[in-house]
Amino acid sequence: MKSFLYALLLGFSIVATAQNKVSGTITNKLNKPILGTTITIPELHKETISDENGKYVFTNLPSGNFKIVFSFIGFATQTKEITSNLKEQKIDILLEESMHQMEEVIVSTAFNKVQSQNVMKVEHQSMKSLSQKGTSTLMEGLATIQGVSQVSTGTSIGKPVIRGLSGSRVLVYSQGVRLENQQFGEEHGLGLNDAGIESVEVIKGPASLLYGSDAIGGVLYFNPEKFASPNTVDANFSQKLFSNTNGSNSTIGIKTSSDNFKFLARGSYNTHADYKIPNGTRVTNTRYNESDFKTALGYSNAKFTSTLRYNFNKLDLGIPENGIAEQTSTKKTTYPKQAVFANIVSLNNTIFFKNSKLDADLGYISNDRSEFVDNSVANLHMKLKTLNYNVKYYLPKFGKLESIIGTQGMHQTNTNSGIEYLIPDATTNDFGVFGTANYEWNKKVLQAGIRFDNREVTSKTNGIEGEEGYFAAIDKKFQSFNSSLGFKTNLKENIILRLNFASGFRAPNLAELTSNGVHEGSNRYEIGNVNLQNEQNFQTDLNLEYRNPHFELFLNGFYNHITNYIFIAPNGTQINGLDAYDYAQANANLYGGEAGIHFHPHPLDWLHITSSFESVTGKKQSGANLPLIPANKWNNSIKTEFKSNKYLKDSFAVLNVEHTLNQNNPGPFETKSNDYTLLNLGFGGKVAIGKMAFDVNLNANNLLNKTYISHLSRLKNDGIPNIGRNLVLGINFVI
């Protein structure tokens, strides 16, 4: 394996050799050492913890420029940069107390800075913080992030919505590579399990500069689980139980690291029965079962780092077509149902030169999706295979100027073997080149970039002309230039202003280009349009943040203009007794934002009061409303933190009140939605009994068992409410 990696990576160029060392001591203002400070070098995937004397050390480092991040709860995060090539360096750090949460390095943006240095506002949430909310699925947890919602089909299928855009307009990255899983389909969920994921970053708005086509609405960037600290072995087991669905989520993992090699493996199993609505009845066939396995092998030395990751995910999903029918608590799915097998392989590499570096990420994704209406052959069987690459060269730093040039590409094939065809057999090839630069001075940052993309889509003829399921062969090419410009400044010491302008694009997907048949989920006959053009958008973002030791305020506003927005509308005819719908295009606008406060009054250091409001409006140029626009939402929480004692440490209790307003501006084929208020409770902490310690969380979601229907629920047209009261118990043991 080692020789293979050398052969692969050294093919890019001859690398410089080095054996550098960085060490130091972490202290507070009283000159006392701080035990447990987390010190990371993100570019090298290295992390260590300060000892009881506050000391830390990194060895076997390459030459070059690297950021070292020092973070500890209750203290302000600090970032230092190594700019010399000395064999040994000593960096001592004095941490200053701060009531703010630790800042994280943002990986999804170009220059990997902590948020306070970043020109773009990016939402960052750890999986630990999302799990403390007691949500049943990863997508449910993501929907609690400001500006993010979900189009749901029961509790099993959820699709992300970022500021009113969803489906193929939102791009998902996992393991550092682009995730492709037929995301255009209404019944196709996120396809990821939260086990083995460290955190998520949400870019709200066009990110085509870094990610190419389909990032017109934003990006969900999932950071994988970190490796163990050098020369350690860690293992853990966690279990969650869900009262509403009689659900269970079990996961076990192990990881170990030496100075050079790193390894981890994690398996999980998730199973749920039909969910109950507040009157106690179950929604038939919303049950599902999920198996997930993740593993990774890493190697690093003074020349390069390389990480090979693999993820297998198996989903057995019931499709709720009969509403509230058979009442059972079984977890075995019935027909109609989906079977999805997904494999993700990624190879993430970094090669270090004297004053620059090269990142090369390779990915292979296989998504095998079948839909059954009975126990015979699959009616729908699609196999999507995707090979993608992302290569970025970080040029030598010139004064205060940092710059990157790069290229991305994708080769994708879709093949069918079922009785029915939803989309034809097709091949998609992407190629893009880009460059971006970042200039920072006196707490001001200016960042700009430009990109060119080319996408070619070819498909095969299928079926008999004039009949349902006929697809004429296509050979289409889509091209686009995009750019971005961002500025960040500190108006005062505790006031940050960010202003961003960015364009993005999305090439029409195969369903929009070629559809010719009945869409079972919507009970309509859909006709594609081979003449569709790129969706092209331009968005302006304004972010203002104010912070002092006991109060935080943020305001985010955006205006998003989309040229050639693709939508579907009836053409006035019927085919096989169903209304026929055509795909068409028109200009559209979306606007809105998020605002919130965090009050942490002195001397009540144990009390946190937060409140946020989010709103988005979407309209075509004609004035008609866009579909799938989430209702405005007001979220309020009171969180208390308790002092640690002999048996309970790091404990908390939280009361959350979430009020969703009326949605009186429905899109075509939608109806208005009523407002509702949900009350959620949570409690957790670390329990210590002798030498045994474990984390525990207890949540009560929808505590008052409120009957409500989300505007973005696909069961709304059948009048089926969302999930009722759900008690969630989670326990995590470190073995």
Side-chain angles (χ1 to χ4, degrees):
M1 179 67 181
K2 182 176 178 181
S3 60
F4 169 75
L5 293 175
Y6 269 116
L8 177 65
L9 297 175
L10 293 180
F12 287 108
S13 183
I14 299 174
V15 296
T17 61
Q19 294 290 332
N20 299 322
K21 174 182 177 181
V22 174
S23 61
T25 304
I26 316 294
T27 58
N28 60 19
K29 63 181 180 180
L30 301 177
N31 201 33
K32 292 184 177 180
I34 301 178
L35 167 67
T37 302
T38 301
I39 308 103
T40 59
I41 307 179
E43 296 101 317
L44 307 182
H45 307 288
K46 287 183 176 289
E47 181 176 301
T48 189
I49 304 294
S50 60
D51 62 19
E52 63 273 10
N53 297 314
K55 296 186 179 298
Y56 73 95
V57 63
F58 288 108
T59 59
N60 201 28
L61 300 180
S63 298
N65 301 323
F66 305 106
K67 300 179 184 72
I68 303 183
V69 183
F70 303 85
S71 54
F72 189 71
I73 295 176
F75 291 83
T77 298
Q78 291 194 36
T79 302
K80 298 292 182 181
E81 187 165 335
I82 304 173
T83 57
S84 66
N85 294 319
L86 299 176
K87 290 295 182 181
E88 291 193 20
Q89 292 186 71
K90 188 174 183 181
I91 300 179
D92 295 330
I93 295 295
L94 174 64
L95 291 183
E96 297 182 357
E97 292 187 17
S98 170
M99 298 304 176
H100 307 306
Q101 293 183 343
M102 295 187 302
E103 286 193 283
E104 300 285 346
V105 174
I106 303 300
V107 178
S108 57
T109 54
F111 295 94
N112 302 153
K113 298 179 181 294
V114 295
Q115 185 59 67
S116 61
Q117 298 175 308
N118 207 11
V119 74
M120 182 186 297
K121 174 66 174 179
V122 177
E123 301 290 346
H124 179 280
Q125 288 280 341
S126 68
M127 286 300 108
K128 182 177 180 180
S129 66
L130 292 181
S131 67
Q132 289 177 351
K133 298 177 181 179
T135 51
S136 301
T137 65
L138 176 58
M139 193 57 243
E140 276 188 39
L142 296 175
T144 65
I145 299 174
Q146 295 146 3
V148 182
S149 306
Q150 68 161 332
V151 178
S152 64
T153 306
T155 54
S156 58
I157 300 173
K159 299 179 67 65
V161 181
I162 299 180
R163 286 179 168 175
L165 295 177
S166 58
S168 296
R169 299 180 178 99
V170 173
L171 197 58
V172 176
Y173 258 62
S174 178
Q175 300 177 188
V177 297
R178 174 184 176 129
L179 181 64
E180 291 287 317
N181 60 358
Q182 309 280 16
Q183 59 265 34
F184 66 85
E186 291 180 320
E187 294 287 2
H188 304 166
L190 191 62
L192 284 177
N193 185 282
D194 59 358
I197 295 177
E198 187 81 18
S199 61
V200 62
E201 297 170 12
V202 183
I203 300 176
K204 294 180 284 190
S208 294
L209 182 69
L210 287 181
Y211 298 103
S213 178
D214 302 349
I216 191 172
V219 175
L220 292 175
Y221 193 100
F222 292 95
N223 294 308
E225 179 179 4
K226 295 178 182 178
F227 289 107
S229 299
N231 303 308
T232 62
V233 178
D234 296 330
N236 80 297
F237 170 77
S238 65
Q239 176 69 55
K240 286 184 180 180
L241 301 174
F242 305 85
S243 68
N244 186 285
T245 60
N246 295 336
S248 171
N249 189 340
S250 307
T251 179
I252 186 168
I254 185 170
K255 51 187 177 180
T256 183
S257 294
S258 65
D259 288 333
N260 298 109
F261 283 97
K262 306 173 181 66
F263 172 79
L264 65 81
R266 181 169 300 280
S268 68
Y269 182 68
N270 198 11
T271 180
H272 292 262
D274 297 339
Y275 80 86
K276 288 191 294 186
I277 60 177
N279 68 7
T281 58
R282 296 186 182 274
V283 182
T284 306
N285 210 28
T286 55
R287 65 203 74 156
Y288 66 99
N289 303 282
E290 179 182 29
S291 301
D292 189 84
F293 174 74
K294 294 182 176 75
T295 187
L297 177 65
Y299 177 80
S300 63
N301 62 18
K303 300 176 182 179
F304 70 87
T305 68
S306 184
T307 303
L308 178 67
R309 293 183 182 270
Y310 171 70
N311 178 202
F312 171 76
N313 186 269
K314 176 185 175 183
L315 277 169
D316 174 29
L317 295 167
I319 299 177
E321 284 195 349
N322 298 317
I324 298 173
E326 178 190 12
Q327 294 295 292
T328 175
S329 59
T330 182
K331 297 169 185 175
K332 183 178 180 181
T333 57
T334 187
Y335 301 100
K337 67 178 183 178
Q338 288 188 67
V340 186
F341 299 88
N343 294 273
I344 306 173
V345 182
S346 64
L347 182 62
N348 312 110
N349 313 289
T350 303
I351 307 172
F352 302 102
F353 306 95
K354 185 176 181 179
N355 295 307
S356 61
K357 68 175 183 177
L358 182 73
D359 281 352
D361 298 330
L362 304 174
Y364 174 76
I365 301 96
S366 172
N367 186 267
D368 188 316
R369 184 181 298 273
S370 300
E371 185 173 313
F372 300 86
V373 296
D374 53 37
N375 59 2
S376 60
V377 179
N379 277 44
L380 184 70
H381 189 190
M382 301 184 294
K383 292 184 179 180
L384 190 70
K385 297 180 180 180
T386 307
L387 178 66
N388 52 41
Y389 63 87
N390 183 3
V391 179
K392 294 182 289 187
Y393 178 60
Y394 293 73
L395 282 72
K397 192 172 182 180
F398 185 74
K400 298 178 180 179
L401 180 68
E402 300 174 83
S403 52
I404 302 171
I405 56 175
T407 180
Q408 288 178 328
M410 179 179 77
H411 174 73
Q412 183 178 89
T413 60
N414 181 79
T415 57
N416 294 270
S417 58
I419 299 173
E420 300 175 359
Y421 279 31
L422 182 63
I423 55 176
D425 293 352
T427 300
T428 302
N429 287 298
D430 282 359
F431 174 75
V433 291
F434 65 92
T436 182
N438 188 86
Y439 186 78
E440 185 171 353
W441 78 104
N442 299 329
K443 294 188 177 181
K444 295 179 175 63
V445 183
L446 183 66
Q447 191 175 116
I450 190 169
R451 178 181 179 118
F452 170 76
D453 282 277
N454 181 79
R455 167 171 286 190
E456 295 182 0
V457 181
T458 59
S459 70
K460 298 179 180 179
T461 301
N462 178 76
I464 301 174
E465 187 172 0
E467 296 186 3
E468 180 180 349
Y470 170 74
F471 302 106
I474 63 171
D475 187 353
K476 301 286 293 183
K477 181 181 291 187
F478 303 94
Q479 296 180 333
S480 181
F481 280 98
N482 290 282
S483 60
S484 68
L485 178 65
F487 176 70
K488 173 258 175 185
T489 184
N490 284 40
L491 298 178
K492 289 188 176 181
E493 183 64 28
N494 52 0
I495 300 178
I496 296 177
L497 173 70
R498 296 182 178 91
L499 181 62
N500 282 272
F501 306 94
S503 65
F505 86 105
R506 180 181 76 90
N509 62 48
L510 280 170
E512 294 162 340
L513 290 168
T514 65
S515 286
N516 183 29
V518 178
H519 191 294
E520 301 292 349
S522 303
N523 199 30
R524 63 195 183 206
Y525 195 104
E526 297 185 358
I527 302 172
N529 183 351
V530 73
N531 296 314
L532 293 175
Q533 302 177 37
N534 283 340
E535 287 185 340
Q536 191 78 40
N537 77 329
F538 184 82
Q539 180 166 309
T540 302
D541 281 276
L542 179 66
N543 166 246
L544 185 66
E545 295 180 4
Y546 170 80
R547 288 185 174 188
N548 68 34
H550 309 291
F551 182 77
E552 299 176 47
L553 168 70
F554 72 87
L555 297 169
N556 304 323
F558 75 95
Y559 184 85
N560 189 3
H561 175 73
I562 304 179
T563 304
N564 294 323
Y565 180 91
I566 298 173
F567 64 95
I568 193 167
N571 62 20
T573 66
Q574 284 195 337
I575 300 177
N576 298 334
L578 295 173
D579 290 337
Y581 286 71
D582 292 332
Y583 281 98
Q585 293 187 296
N587 295 342
N589 299 302
L590 296 99
Y591 52 89
E594 306 88 33
I597 61 170
H598 177 192
F599 184 44
H600 185 207
H602 183 74
L604 306 179
D605 297 336
W606 46 268
L607 179 63
H608 299 263
I609 301 173
T610 61
S611 180
S612 65
F613 182 80
E614 56 189 89
S615 172
V616 59
T617 299
K619 291 183 177 294
K620 298 177 190 174
Q621 196 169 37
S622 64
N625 297 315
L626 295 181
L628 301 178
I629 300 298
N632 297 341
K633 185 166 61 175
W634 185 26
N635 202 310
N636 303 276
S637 294
I638 299 177
K639 182 179 180 180
T640 61
E641 297 172 340
F642 304 108
K643 290 184 178 180
S644 298
N645 56 46
K646 182 178 180 181
Y647 300 104
L648 190 61
K649 301 178 180 179
D650 302 327
S651 56
F652 69 91
V654 60
L655 169 67
N656 172 255
V657 180
E658 179 184 303
H659 180 66
T660 300
L661 281 68
N662 294 320
Q663 177 52 287
N664 291 323
N665 299 298
F669 332 122
E670 296 179 339
T671 57
K672 295 181 179 181
S673 300
N674 296 326
D675 66 331
Y676 55 89
T677 300
L678 302 180
L679 179 66
N680 308 305
L681 290 176
F683 172 80
K686 183 181 290 294
V687 178
I689 303 175
K691 294 183 178 181
M692 182 179 68
F694 59 92
D695 295 312
V696 61
N697 289 316
L698 179 61
N699 297 84
N701 294 328
N702 192 5
L703 180 66
L704 302 182
N705 210 26
K706 174 72 174 180
T707 299
Y708 73 99
I709 302 178
S710 168
H711 183 69
L712 299 185
S713 169
R714 295 194 64 245
L715 302 181
K716 179 174 181 284
N717 290 337
D718 297 322
I720 298 176
N722 287 69
I723 189 171
R725 183 187 297 115
N726 192 19
L727 304 181
V728 183
L729 174 65
I731 300 176
N732 179 55
F733 289 92
V734 177
I735 303 172

